[in-house]
Amino acid sequence: EAQVTQNPRYLITVTGKKLTVTCSQNMNHEYMSWYRQDPGLGLRQIYYSMNVEVTDKGDVPEGYKVSRKEKRNFPLILESPSPNQTSLYFCASSFRGISNQPQHFGDGTRLSIL
Amino acid sequence: TQLLEQSPQFLSIQEGENLTVYCNSSSVFSSLQWYRQEPGEGPVLLVTVVTGGEVKKLKRLTFQFGDARKDSSLHITAAQPGDTGLYLCAGTGRSQGNLIFGKGTKLSVKP
């Protein structure tokens, strides 16, 4: 089954403790992206990757890192998480870019930073 | 900065009613996408509109792209409880990989 898989689905952690949210897709998609969704602010793009070894900042990249060492994986790294990064996170992928390309989303990761 | 403004923010209607959701911008978009998101899940693409003036139909849902490609609308005919969800419009932002979303319209259809 074609899918985007995020792990973990839920995480409660404390300020300053490094964490990684993994994202994997099995559709051989070139493009992958991370978003956060907050009440009243909607979905905002954190980082995106047009292809392997190519990453770019989205609209809210501060406090996050990403890497794209292989096509299927696009982990989101929070080196020193803070409470303002408490949010619902989504990973998405598409065949190539975003222009006229449907984005396939994972089911989300709910992060709580205490 | 490109922005997509959706209205209304919330909509609560009875089964069988019609409704329209709007997605507006002051910028021109090469295309716009509409997604629906249900609680606990990621957004799912409904349609992409590409040509100014384009109208696309998906069963009881009708999507329109404005002639100037600055706005789009989603019309639902005879809404059903299964239409309940968050409707999002999205378009390309400041670069080819930058996808921006409107804040969404939360629709509740009561039986």
Side-chain angles (χ1 to χ4, degrees):
Chain A
E1 181 190 350
Q3 58 186 3
V4 177
T5 304
Q6 297 179 224
N7 278 298
R9 291 291 313 278
Y10 305 91
L11 179 63
I12 302 173
T13 187
V14 295
T15 299
K17 187 177 180 183
K18 181 180 178 180
L19 69 93
T20 299
V21 184
T22 63
C23 175
S24 180
Q25 49 92 6
N26 63 0
M27 296 168 280
N28 201 35
H29 284 170
E30 291 185 356
Y31 178 90
M32 296 185 76
S33 183
W34 276 103
Y35 301 86
R36 60 179 290 175
Q37 188 172 32
D38 301 288
L41 297 176
L43 270 165
R44 294 177 294 166
Q45 191 180 53
I46 303 170
Y47 269 95
Y48 65 91
S49 170
M50 298 296 286
N51 213 327
V52 176
E53 301 290 4
V54 180
T55 61
D56 269 302
K57 295 178 180 179
D59 296 310
V60 287
E62 296 78 20
Y64 304 95
K65 285 175 57 178
V66 293
S67 68
R68 187 92 184 273
K69 294 181 179 150
E70 48 190 347
K71 205 171 192 178
R72 64 183 294 125
N73 295 323
F74 190 44
L76 179 69
I77 303 156
L78 284 71
E79 294 267 4
S80 184
S82 62
N84 65 12
Q85 293 177 298
T86 292
S87 187
L88 179 59
Y89 291 84
F90 288 99
C91 179
S93 73
S94 65
F95 178 65
R96 186 172 294 153
I98 57 175
S99 182
N100 298 342
Q101 295 284 322
Q103 301 295 303
H104 299 263
F105 284 82
D107 283 336
T109 295
R110 189 168 289 282
L111 277 182
S112 293
I113 317 290
L114 304 177
Chain B
T1 304
Q2 288 178 290
L3 290 173
L4 286 168
E5 296 186 7
Q6 285 189 243
S7 61
Q9 194 175 353
F10 301 97
L11 196 51
S12 181
I13 61 172
Q14 293 294 131
E15 183 176 359
E17 293 184 16
N18 301 332
L19 67 111
T20 302
V21 174
Y22 299 93
C23 175
N24 296 310
S25 177
S26 58
S27 304
V28 175
F29 285 86
S30 58
S31 64
L32 282 178
Q33 299 176 333
W34 284 93
Y35 290 83
R36 181 168 71 205
Q37 183 180 15
E38 300 189 27
E41 299 180 8
V44 176
L45 181 73
L46 295 172
V47 78
T48 301
V49 287
V50 179
T51 307
E54 181 178 11
V55 176
K56 280 190 173 178
K57 292 194 174 183
L58 191 65
K59 297 183 181 177
R60 293 176 292 98
L61 279 61
T62 301
F63 302 85
Q64 188 162 6
F65 201 12
D67 291 339
R69 290 185 288 126
K70 292 183 177 182
D71 56 87
S72 181
S73 64
L74 158 60
H75 182 79
I76 301 179
T77 303
Q80 298 177 2
D83 295 325
T84 293
L86 179 66
Y87 289 82
L88 299 158
C89 64
T92 303
R94 52 181 166 70
S95 62
Q96 281 301 311
N98 177 221
L99 188 64
I100 61 171
F101 283 82
K103 292 181 180 178
T105 294
K106 192 168 184 179
L107 172 65
S108 174
V109 182
K110 300 184 188 317

